[in-house]
Amino acid sequence: MLHCSDGASHCGLALCALVFRACLQHNLPFSLPTLLCALRGQRMRLVASPRQYRFVYDAAIESLEDTRLI
């Protein structure tokens, strides 16, 4: 269970990172913009600011580098 003070932004970052890593680990096709859109469709403000979007993309790049896919 994830929960933050406003029930959206910080949880959204963690949830997005967890789903992204699970897709990578299980070799599932995904698109980060589609994933973010689906999460925001369920809960507005899940990733609320440009800074948080940047964090999600940086985390994705780091995950890909760790798995040596880039």
mmCIF file of all heavy atoms in Angstrom, residues 21-67:
data_model
loop_
_atom_site.group_PDB
_atom_site.id
_atom_site.type_symbol
_atom_site.label_atom_id
_atom_site.label_comp_id
_atom_site.label_asym_id
_atom_site.label_seq_id
_atom_site.Cartn_x
_atom_site.Cartn_y
_atom_site.Cartn_z
ATOM 1 N N ARG A 21 9.216 -0.658 -13.764
ATOM 2 C CA ARG A 21 10.205 -1.711 -13.472
ATOM 3 C C ARG A 21 9.612 -3.102 -13.699
ATOM 4 O O ARG A 21 10.279 -3.989 -14.214
ATOM 5 C CB ARG A 21 10.705 -1.599 -12.030
ATOM 6 C CG ARG A 21 11.476 -0.352 -11.713
ATOM 7 C CD ARG A 21 12.875 -0.405 -12.103
ATOM 8 N NE ARG A 21 13.597 -1.434 -11.341
ATOM 9 C CZ ARG A 21 14.878 -1.607 -11.421
ATOM 10 N NH1 ARG A 21 15.590 -0.828 -12.181
ATOM 11 N NH2 ARG A 21 15.478 -2.546 -10.744
ATOM 12 N N ALA A 22 8.355 -3.287 -13.328
ATOM 13 C CA ALA A 22 7.702 -4.589 -13.538
ATOM 14 C C ALA A 22 7.608 -4.911 -15.026
ATOM 15 O O ALA A 22 7.850 -6.053 -15.432
ATOM 16 C CB ALA A 22 6.318 -4.592 -12.900
ATOM 17 N N CYS A 23 7.279 -3.909 -15.833
ATOM 18 C CA CYS A 23 7.220 -4.125 -17.283
ATOM 19 C C CYS A 23 8.596 -4.515 -17.823
ATOM 20 O O CYS A 23 8.715 -5.412 -18.659
ATOM 21 C CB CYS A 23 6.714 -2.873 -17.989
ATOM 22 S SG CYS A 23 4.966 -2.551 -17.761
ATOM 23 N N LEU A 24 9.628 -3.846 -17.347
ATOM 24 C CA LEU A 24 10.984 -4.178 -17.783
ATOM 25 C C LEU A 24 11.374 -5.596 -17.366
ATOM 26 O O LEU A 24 11.914 -6.360 -18.164
ATOM 27 C CB LEU A 24 12.001 -3.211 -17.166
ATOM 28 C CG LEU A 24 12.220 -1.888 -17.856
ATOM 29 C CD1 LEU A 24 13.242 -1.066 -17.080
ATOM 30 C CD2 LEU A 24 12.676 -2.077 -19.271
ATOM 31 N N GLN A 25 11.098 -5.951 -16.131
ATOM 32 C CA GLN A 25 11.486 -7.254 -15.609
ATOM 33 C C GLN A 25 10.776 -8.392 -16.319
ATOM 34 O O GLN A 25 11.335 -9.471 -16.482
ATOM 35 C CB GLN A 25 11.223 -7.332 -14.108
ATOM 36 C CG GLN A 25 12.153 -6.477 -13.297
ATOM 37 C CD GLN A 25 11.764 -6.429 -11.829
ATOM 38 O OE1 GLN A 25 10.673 -6.835 -11.442
ATOM 39 N NE2 GLN A 25 12.663 -5.908 -10.997
ATOM 40 N N HIS A 26 9.536 -8.151 -16.739
ATOM 41 C CA HIS A 26 8.757 -9.213 -17.381
ATOM 42 C C HIS A 26 8.743 -9.090 -18.900
ATOM 43 O O HIS A 26 7.983 -9.774 -19.571
ATOM 44 C CB HIS A 26 7.335 -9.227 -16.824
ATOM 45 C CG HIS A 26 7.291 -9.543 -15.363
ATOM 46 N ND1 HIS A 26 7.616 -10.776 -14.850
ATOM 47 C CD2 HIS A 26 6.996 -8.769 -14.297
ATOM 48 C CE1 HIS A 26 7.493 -10.756 -13.544
ATOM 49 N NE2 HIS A 26 7.132 -9.535 -13.176
ATOM 50 N N ASN A 27 9.581 -8.201 -19.416
ATOM 51 C CA ASN A 27 9.719 -8.031 -20.867
ATOM 52 C C ASN A 27 8.392 -7.678 -21.544
ATOM 53 O O ASN A 27 8.107 -8.167 -22.634
ATOM 54 C CB ASN A 27 10.305 -9.298 -21.478
ATOM 55 C CG ASN A 27 11.498 -8.998 -22.330
ATOM 56 O OD1 ASN A 27 11.946 -7.865 -22.422
ATOM 57 N ND2 ASN A 27 12.011 -10.025 -22.965
ATOM 58 N N LEU A 28 7.584 -6.870 -20.902
ATOM 59 C CA LEU A 28 6.302 -6.470 -21.450
ATOM 60 C C LEU A 28 6.449 -5.170 -22.241
ATOM 61 O O LEU A 28 7.180 -4.276 -21.828
ATOM 62 C CB LEU A 28 5.290 -6.242 -20.323
ATOM 63 C CG LEU A 28 4.973 -7.451 -19.462
ATOM 64 C CD1 LEU A 28 4.111 -7.037 -18.277
ATOM 65 C CD2 LEU A 28 4.265 -8.509 -20.284
ATOM 66 N N PRO A 29 5.766 -5.080 -23.366
ATOM 67 C CA PRO A 29 5.824 -3.826 -24.125
ATOM 68 C C PRO A 29 5.060 -2.717 -23.388
ATOM 69 O O PRO A 29 4.036 -2.982 -22.756
ATOM 70 C CB PRO A 29 5.122 -4.170 -25.448
ATOM 71 C CG PRO A 29 4.244 -5.312 -25.119
ATOM 72 C CD PRO A 29 4.915 -6.074 -24.003
ATOM 73 N N PHE A 30 5.574 -1.520 -23.436
ATOM 74 C CA PHE A 30 4.920 -0.395 -22.771
ATOM 75 C C PHE A 30 5.430 0.893 -23.366
ATOM 76 O O PHE A 30 6.459 0.933 -24.034
ATOM 77 C CB PHE A 30 5.167 -0.417 -21.264
ATOM 78 C CG PHE A 30 6.594 -0.133 -20.911
ATOM 79 C CD1 PHE A 30 7.002 1.150 -20.617
ATOM 80 C CD2 PHE A 30 7.527 -1.140 -20.917
ATOM 81 C CE1 PHE A 30 8.323 1.418 -20.325
ATOM 82 C CE2 PHE A 30 8.847 -0.884 -20.626
ATOM 83 C CZ PHE A 30 9.245 0.397 -20.329
ATOM 84 N N SER A 31 4.694 1.936 -23.102
ATOM 85 C CA SER A 31 5.085 3.284 -23.485
ATOM 86 C C SER A 31 4.946 4.140 -22.239
ATOM 87 O O SER A 31 3.884 4.142 -21.603
ATOM 88 C CB SER A 31 4.162 3.784 -24.595
ATOM 89 O OG SER A 31 4.251 5.183 -24.712
ATOM 90 N N LEU A 32 5.978 4.830 -21.881
ATOM 91 C CA LEU A 32 5.934 5.638 -20.669
ATOM 92 C C LEU A 32 4.835 6.704 -20.727
ATOM 93 O O LEU A 32 4.094 6.857 -19.759
ATOM 94 C CB LEU A 32 7.299 6.247 -20.384
ATOM 95 C CG LEU A 32 7.545 6.746 -18.981
ATOM 96 C CD1 LEU A 32 7.200 5.707 -17.931
ATOM 97 C CD2 LEU A 32 8.986 7.182 -18.820
ATOM 98 N N PRO A 33 4.659 7.425 -21.846
ATOM 99 C CA PRO A 33 3.553 8.387 -21.895
ATOM 100 C C PRO A 33 2.175 7.715 -21.734
ATOM 101 O O PRO A 33 1.298 8.244 -21.073
ATOM 102 C CB PRO A 33 3.677 9.036 -23.272
ATOM 103 C CG PRO A 33 5.103 8.863 -23.633
ATOM 104 C CD PRO A 33 5.522 7.550 -23.019
ATOM 105 N N THR A 34 2.010 6.533 -22.330
ATOM 106 C CA THR A 34 0.745 5.814 -22.194
ATOM 107 C C THR A 34 0.529 5.370 -20.761
ATOM 108 O O THR A 34 -0.587 5.459 -20.227
ATOM 109 C CB THR A 34 0.723 4.595 -23.142
ATOM 110 O OG1 THR A 34 0.941 5.049 -24.481
ATOM 111 C CG2 THR A 34 -0.600 3.863 -23.066
ATOM 112 N N LEU A 35 1.591 4.899 -20.126
ATOM 113 C CA LEU A 35 1.511 4.483 -18.724
ATOM 114 C C LEU A 35 1.109 5.666 -17.837
ATOM 115 O O LEU A 35 0.207 5.558 -17.020
ATOM 116 C CB LEU A 35 2.850 3.912 -18.259
ATOM 117 C CG LEU A 35 3.005 3.609 -16.778
ATOM 118 C CD1 LEU A 35 2.007 2.540 -16.338
ATOM 119 C CD2 LEU A 35 4.427 3.169 -16.475
ATOM 120 N N LEU A 36 1.749 6.805 -18.042
ATOM 121 C CA LEU A 36 1.418 7.995 -17.251
ATOM 122 C C LEU A 36 -0.023 8.438 -17.496
ATOM 123 O O LEU A 36 -0.737 8.797 -16.561
ATOM 124 C CB LEU A 36 2.380 9.131 -17.584
ATOM 125 C CG LEU A 36 3.806 8.955 -17.095
ATOM 126 C CD1 LEU A 36 4.708 10.022 -17.695
ATOM 127 C CD2 LEU A 36 3.860 9.003 -15.587
ATOM 128 N N CYS A 37 -0.459 8.374 -18.741
ATOM 129 C CA CYS A 37 -1.834 8.765 -19.072
ATOM 130 C C CYS A 37 -2.836 7.819 -18.409
ATOM 131 O O CYS A 37 -3.857 8.270 -17.876
ATOM 132 C CB CYS A 37 -2.011 8.767 -20.582
ATOM 133 S SG CYS A 37 -3.606 9.377 -21.124
ATOM 134 N N ALA A 38 -2.554 6.525 -18.419
ATOM 135 C CA ALA A 38 -3.455 5.551 -17.790
ATOM 136 C C ALA A 38 -3.524 5.771 -16.281
ATOM 137 O O ALA A 38 -4.609 5.714 -15.689
ATOM 138 C CB ALA A 38 -2.986 4.133 -18.100
ATOM 139 N N LEU A 39 -2.387 6.045 -15.662
ATOM 140 C CA LEU A 39 -2.380 6.303 -14.225
ATOM 141 C C LEU A 39 -3.143 7.580 -13.887
ATOM 142 O O LEU A 39 -3.910 7.631 -12.937
ATOM 143 C CB LEU A 39 -0.945 6.388 -13.698
ATOM 144 C CG LEU A 39 -0.163 5.086 -13.687
ATOM 145 C CD1 LEU A 39 1.286 5.342 -13.301
ATOM 146 C CD2 LEU A 39 -0.792 4.080 -12.740
ATOM 147 N N ARG A 40 -2.951 8.603 -14.702
ATOM 148 C CA ARG A 40 -3.661 9.863 -14.453
ATOM 149 C C ARG A 40 -5.139 9.732 -14.730
ATOM 150 O O ARG A 40 -5.958 10.449 -14.162
ATOM 151 C CB ARG A 40 -3.065 10.982 -15.287
ATOM 152 C CG ARG A 40 -1.697 11.388 -14.753
ATOM 153 C CD ARG A 40 -1.271 12.661 -15.321
ATOM 154 N NE ARG A 40 -2.172 13.695 -14.804
ATOM 155 C CZ ARG A 40 -1.937 14.980 -14.907
ATOM 156 N NH1 ARG A 40 -0.853 15.385 -15.478
ATOM 157 N NH2 ARG A 40 -2.776 15.857 -14.445
ATOM 158 N N GLY A 41 -5.530 8.804 -15.607
ATOM 159 C CA GLY A 41 -6.941 8.551 -15.866
ATOM 160 C C GLY A 41 -7.632 7.963 -14.646
ATOM 161 O O GLY A 41 -8.831 8.142 -14.442
ATOM 162 N N GLN A 42 -6.870 7.269 -13.815
ATOM 163 C CA GLN A 42 -7.423 6.680 -12.605
ATOM 164 C C GLN A 42 -7.375 7.653 -11.431
ATOM 165 O O GLN A 42 -8.200 7.586 -10.528
ATOM 166 C CB GLN A 42 -6.660 5.409 -12.242
ATOM 167 C CG GLN A 42 -6.843 4.323 -13.270
ATOM 168 C CD GLN A 42 -6.035 3.094 -12.941
ATOM 169 O OE1 GLN A 42 -5.713 2.838 -11.788
ATOM 170 N NE2 GLN A 42 -5.706 2.328 -13.964
ATOM 171 N N ARG A 43 -6.393 8.515 -11.443
ATOM 172 C CA ARG A 43 -6.237 9.463 -10.334
ATOM 173 C C ARG A 43 -5.551 10.723 -10.850
ATOM 174 O O ARG A 43 -4.372 10.704 -11.175
ATOM 175 C CB ARG A 43 -5.405 8.823 -9.223
ATOM 176 C CG ARG A 43 -5.075 9.706 -8.078
ATOM 177 C CD ARG A 43 -6.269 9.932 -7.197
ATOM 178 N NE ARG A 43 -5.867 10.733 -6.061
ATOM 179 C CZ ARG A 43 -6.607 10.887 -5.010
ATOM 180 N NH1 ARG A 43 -7.769 10.306 -4.934
ATOM 181 N NH2 ARG A 43 -6.204 11.642 -4.026
ATOM 182 N N MET A 44 -6.301 11.820 -10.936
ATOM 183 C CA MET A 44 -5.713 13.074 -11.389
ATOM 184 C C MET A 44 -4.597 13.503 -10.438
ATOM 185 O O MET A 44 -4.606 13.151 -9.268
ATOM 186 C CB MET A 44 -6.774 14.177 -11.443
ATOM 187 C CG MET A 44 -7.692 14.066 -12.648
ATOM 188 S SD MET A 44 -6.819 14.029 -14.217
ATOM 189 C CE MET A 44 -6.132 15.645 -14.297
ATOM 190 N N ARG A 45 -3.665 14.227 -10.968
ATOM 191 C CA ARG A 45 -2.519 14.748 -10.226
ATOM 192 C C ARG A 45 -1.592 13.639 -9.730
ATOM 193 O O ARG A 45 -0.830 13.836 -8.802
ATOM 194 C CB ARG A 45 -2.964 15.624 -9.040
ATOM 195 C CG ARG A 45 -3.681 16.881 -9.481
ATOM 196 C CD ARG A 45 -3.839 17.884 -8.375
ATOM 197 N NE ARG A 45 -2.529 18.369 -7.964
ATOM 198 C CZ ARG A 45 -2.093 18.377 -6.697
ATOM 199 N NH1 ARG A 45 -2.853 17.933 -5.730
ATOM 200 N NH2 ARG A 45 -0.903 18.832 -6.409
ATOM 201 N N LEU A 46 -1.679 12.448 -10.340
ATOM 202 C CA LEU A 46 -0.792 11.377 -9.912
ATOM 203 C C LEU A 46 0.662 11.761 -10.169
ATOM 204 O O LEU A 46 1.531 11.487 -9.365
ATOM 205 C CB LEU A 46 -1.152 10.082 -10.643
ATOM 206 C CG LEU A 46 -0.960 8.819 -9.848
ATOM 207 C CD1 LEU A 46 -1.630 8.903 -8.496
ATOM 208 C CD2 LEU A 46 -1.469 7.619 -10.585
ATOM 209 N N VAL A 47 0.929 12.357 -11.287
ATOM 210 C CA VAL A 47 2.220 12.984 -11.559
ATOM 211 C C VAL A 47 1.856 14.415 -11.915
ATOM 212 O O VAL A 47 1.333 14.679 -12.983
ATOM 213 C CB VAL A 47 2.967 12.276 -12.710
ATOM 214 C CG1 VAL A 47 4.267 12.972 -13.009
ATOM 215 C CG2 VAL A 47 3.208 10.806 -12.365
ATOM 216 N N ALA A 48 2.093 15.328 -10.987
ATOM 217 C CA ALA A 48 1.455 16.641 -11.045
ATOM 218 C C ALA A 48 2.258 17.762 -11.695
ATOM 219 O O ALA A 48 1.683 18.718 -12.178
ATOM 220 C CB ALA A 48 1.064 17.070 -9.636
ATOM 221 N N SER A 49 3.576 17.671 -11.709
ATOM 222 C CA SER A 49 4.347 18.822 -12.176
ATOM 223 C C SER A 49 5.388 18.391 -13.211
ATOM 224 O O SER A 49 5.749 17.223 -13.304
ATOM 225 C CB SER A 49 5.064 19.478 -10.996
ATOM 226 O OG SER A 49 6.090 18.621 -10.513
ATOM 227 N N PRO A 50 5.887 19.356 -13.980
ATOM 228 C CA PRO A 50 6.943 19.047 -14.942
ATOM 229 C C PRO A 50 8.185 18.439 -14.262
ATOM 230 O O PRO A 50 8.844 17.561 -14.818
ATOM 231 C CB PRO A 50 7.282 20.396 -15.576
ATOM 232 C CG PRO A 50 6.031 21.191 -15.422
ATOM 233 C CD PRO A 50 5.430 20.742 -14.122
ATOM 234 N N ARG A 51 8.458 18.888 -13.069
ATOM 235 C CA ARG A 51 9.604 18.346 -12.320
ATOM 236 C C ARG A 51 9.399 16.857 -12.014
ATOM 237 O O ARG A 51 10.333 16.066 -12.084
ATOM 238 C CB ARG A 51 9.775 19.142 -11.038
ATOM 239 C CG ARG A 51 10.997 18.804 -10.277
ATOM 240 C CD ARG A 51 11.133 19.753 -9.111
ATOM 241 N NE ARG A 51 12.265 19.352 -8.294
ATOM 242 C CZ ARG A 51 12.510 19.827 -7.123
ATOM 243 N NH1 ARG A 51 11.723 20.738 -6.596
ATOM 244 N NH2 ARG A 51 13.546 19.419 -6.432
ATOM 245 N N GLN A 52 8.168 16.476 -11.685
ATOM 246 C CA GLN A 52 7.874 15.068 -11.417
ATOM 247 C C GLN A 52 7.942 14.237 -12.699
ATOM 248 O O GLN A 52 8.416 13.104 -12.684
ATOM 249 C CB GLN A 52 6.510 14.922 -10.752
ATOM 250 C CG GLN A 52 6.505 15.432 -9.340
ATOM 251 C CD GLN A 52 5.149 15.338 -8.689
ATOM 252 O OE1 GLN A 52 4.132 15.171 -9.354
ATOM 253 N NE2 GLN A 52 5.133 15.447 -7.374
ATOM 254 N N TYR A 53 7.471 14.797 -13.829
ATOM 255 C CA TYR A 53 7.610 14.094 -15.105
ATOM 256 C C TYR A 53 9.084 13.853 -15.416
ATOM 257 O O TYR A 53 9.482 12.779 -15.854
ATOM 258 C CB TYR A 53 6.980 14.895 -16.250
ATOM 259 C CG TYR A 53 5.499 14.690 -16.366
ATOM 260 C CD1 TYR A 53 4.615 15.651 -15.901
ATOM 261 C CD2 TYR A 53 4.976 13.539 -16.941
ATOM 262 C CE1 TYR A 53 3.253 15.473 -15.997
ATOM 263 C CE2 TYR A 53 3.611 13.357 -17.051
ATOM 264 C CZ TYR A 53 2.757 14.326 -16.578
ATOM 265 O OH TYR A 53 1.411 14.140 -16.674
ATOM 266 N N ARG A 54 9.891 14.859 -15.172
ATOM 267 C CA ARG A 54 11.328 14.728 -15.413
ATOM 268 C C ARG A 54 11.921 13.618 -14.543
ATOM 269 O O ARG A 54 12.740 12.824 -14.994
ATOM 270 C CB ARG A 54 12.019 16.065 -15.116
ATOM 271 C CG ARG A 54 13.495 16.069 -15.271
ATOM 272 C CD ARG A 54 13.874 15.819 -16.699
ATOM 273 N NE ARG A 54 15.301 15.611 -16.771
ATOM 274 C CZ ARG A 54 16.012 15.837 -17.839
ATOM 275 N NH1 ARG A 54 15.421 16.278 -18.931
ATOM 276 N NH2 ARG A 54 17.290 15.616 -17.829
ATOM 277 N N PHE A 55 11.493 13.550 -13.287
ATOM 278 C CA PHE A 55 11.960 12.504 -12.387
ATOM 279 C C PHE A 55 11.592 11.118 -12.919
ATOM 280 O O PHE A 55 12.403 10.202 -12.906
ATOM 281 C CB PHE A 55 11.359 12.706 -10.989
ATOM 282 C CG PHE A 55 11.724 11.606 -10.034
ATOM 283 C CD1 PHE A 55 12.938 11.620 -9.375
ATOM 284 C CD2 PHE A 55 10.859 10.553 -9.812
ATOM 285 C CE1 PHE A 55 13.286 10.598 -8.505
ATOM 286 C CE2 PHE A 55 11.180 9.529 -8.937
ATOM 287 C CZ PHE A 55 12.411 9.553 -8.285
ATOM 288 N N VAL A 56 10.351 10.976 -13.404
ATOM 289 C CA VAL A 56 9.900 9.688 -13.952
ATOM 290 C C VAL A 56 10.768 9.290 -15.139
ATOM 291 O O VAL A 56 11.228 8.140 -15.236
ATOM 292 C CB VAL A 56 8.414 9.749 -14.360
ATOM 293 C CG1 VAL A 56 8.009 8.529 -15.165
ATOM 294 C CG2 VAL A 56 7.542 9.878 -13.124
ATOM 295 N N TYR A 57 11.027 10.212 -16.051
ATOM 296 C CA TYR A 57 11.850 9.902 -17.216
ATOM 297 C C TYR A 57 13.294 9.601 -16.821
ATOM 298 O O TYR A 57 13.909 8.686 -17.363
ATOM 299 C CB TYR A 57 11.780 11.034 -18.244
ATOM 300 C CG TYR A 57 10.553 10.928 -19.107
ATOM 301 C CD1 TYR A 57 9.405 11.639 -18.787
ATOM 302 C CD2 TYR A 57 10.516 10.098 -20.222
ATOM 303 C CE1 TYR A 57 8.261 11.532 -19.553
ATOM 304 C CE2 TYR A 57 9.388 9.982 -21.000
ATOM 305 C CZ TYR A 57 8.262 10.703 -20.655
ATOM 306 O OH TYR A 57 7.132 10.586 -21.424
ATOM 307 N N ASP A 58 13.837 10.350 -15.875
ATOM 308 C CA ASP A 58 15.200 10.074 -15.410
ATOM 309 C C ASP A 58 15.290 8.699 -14.754
ATOM 310 O O ASP A 58 16.257 7.962 -14.965
ATOM 311 C CB ASP A 58 15.679 11.152 -14.434
ATOM 312 C CG ASP A 58 15.972 12.468 -15.123
ATOM 313 O OD1 ASP A 58 16.122 12.481 -16.365
ATOM 314 O OD2 ASP A 58 16.044 13.494 -14.415
ATOM 315 N N ALA A 59 14.282 8.338 -13.968
ATOM 316 C CA ALA A 59 14.257 7.018 -13.335
ATOM 317 C C ALA A 59 14.154 5.924 -14.396
ATOM 318 O O ALA A 59 14.800 4.867 -14.281
ATOM 319 C CB ALA A 59 13.095 6.915 -12.354
ATOM 320 N N ALA A 60 13.367 6.168 -15.435
ATOM 321 C CA ALA A 60 13.240 5.193 -16.520
ATOM 322 C C ALA A 60 14.577 4.996 -17.233
ATOM 323 O O ALA A 60 14.985 3.863 -17.496
ATOM 324 C CB ALA A 60 12.175 5.652 -17.512
ATOM 325 N N ILE A 61 15.259 6.082 -17.513
ATOM 326 C CA ILE A 61 16.559 5.998 -18.184
ATOM 327 C C ILE A 61 17.561 5.257 -17.309
ATOM 328 O O ILE A 61 18.301 4.387 -17.782
ATOM 329 C CB ILE A 61 17.075 7.404 -18.551
ATOM 330 C CG1 ILE A 61 16.219 7.976 -19.681
ATOM 331 C CG2 ILE A 61 18.548 7.373 -18.941
ATOM 332 C CD1 ILE A 61 16.449 9.438 -19.951
ATOM 333 N N GLU A 62 17.569 5.555 -16.026
ATOM 334 C CA GLU A 62 18.485 4.872 -15.121
ATOM 335 C C GLU A 62 18.175 3.374 -15.040
ATOM 336 O O GLU A 62 19.085 2.545 -15.028
ATOM 337 C CB GLU A 62 18.414 5.501 -13.731
ATOM 338 C CG GLU A 62 19.503 4.992 -12.815
ATOM 339 C CD GLU A 62 19.597 5.797 -11.545
ATOM 340 O OE1 GLU A 62 19.464 7.034 -11.607
ATOM 341 O OE2 GLU A 62 19.791 5.174 -10.490
ATOM 342 N N SER A 63 16.902 3.022 -15.007
ATOM 343 C CA SER A 63 16.515 1.614 -14.989
ATOM 344 C C SER A 63 16.975 0.901 -16.253
ATOM 345 O O SER A 63 17.457 -0.228 -16.197
ATOM 346 C CB SER A 63 15.000 1.468 -14.855
ATOM 347 O OG SER A 63 14.571 1.910 -13.604
ATOM 348 N N LEU A 64 16.799 1.552 -17.388
ATOM 349 C CA LEU A 64 17.231 0.953 -18.644
ATOM 350 C C LEU A 64 18.748 0.796 -18.690
ATOM 351 O O LEU A 64 19.256 -0.196 -19.191
ATOM 352 C CB LEU A 64 16.739 1.794 -19.821
ATOM 353 C CG LEU A 64 15.246 1.745 -20.083
ATOM 354 C CD1 LEU A 64 14.848 2.804 -21.095
ATOM 355 C CD2 LEU A 64 14.825 0.359 -20.552
ATOM 356 N N GLU A 65 19.465 1.779 -18.175
ATOM 357 C CA GLU A 65 20.920 1.678 -18.137
ATOM 358 C C GLU A 65 21.364 0.540 -17.202
ATOM 359 O O GLU A 65 22.306 -0.169 -17.502
ATOM 360 C CB GLU A 65 21.531 2.993 -17.673
ATOM 361 C CG GLU A 65 21.472 4.078 -18.739
ATOM 362 C CD GLU A 65 21.938 5.428 -18.235
ATOM 363 O OE1 GLU A 65 22.073 5.609 -17.002
ATOM 364 O OE2 GLU A 65 22.160 6.301 -19.083
ATOM 365 N N ASP A 66 20.658 0.378 -16.070
ATOM 366 C CA ASP A 66 20.994 -0.697 -15.133
ATOM 367 C C ASP A 66 20.792 -2.070 -15.749
ATOM 368 O O ASP A 66 21.518 -3.017 -15.443
ATOM 369 C CB ASP A 66 20.164 -0.589 -13.846
ATOM 370 C CG ASP A 66 20.593 0.567 -12.972
ATOM 371 O OD1 ASP A 66 21.691 1.137 -13.214
ATOM 372 O OD2 ASP A 66 19.847 0.919 -12.037
ATOM 373 N N THR A 67 19.777 -2.191 -16.612
ATOM 374 C CA THR A 67 19.528 -3.477 -17.249
ATOM 375 C C THR A 67 20.320 -3.608 -18.544
ATOM 376 O O THR A 67 20.198 -4.604 -19.240
ATOM 377 C CB THR A 67 18.019 -3.660 -17.554
ATOM 378 O OG1 THR A 67 17.592 -2.599 -18.392
ATOM 379 C CG2 THR A 67 17.207 -3.705 -16.287
#
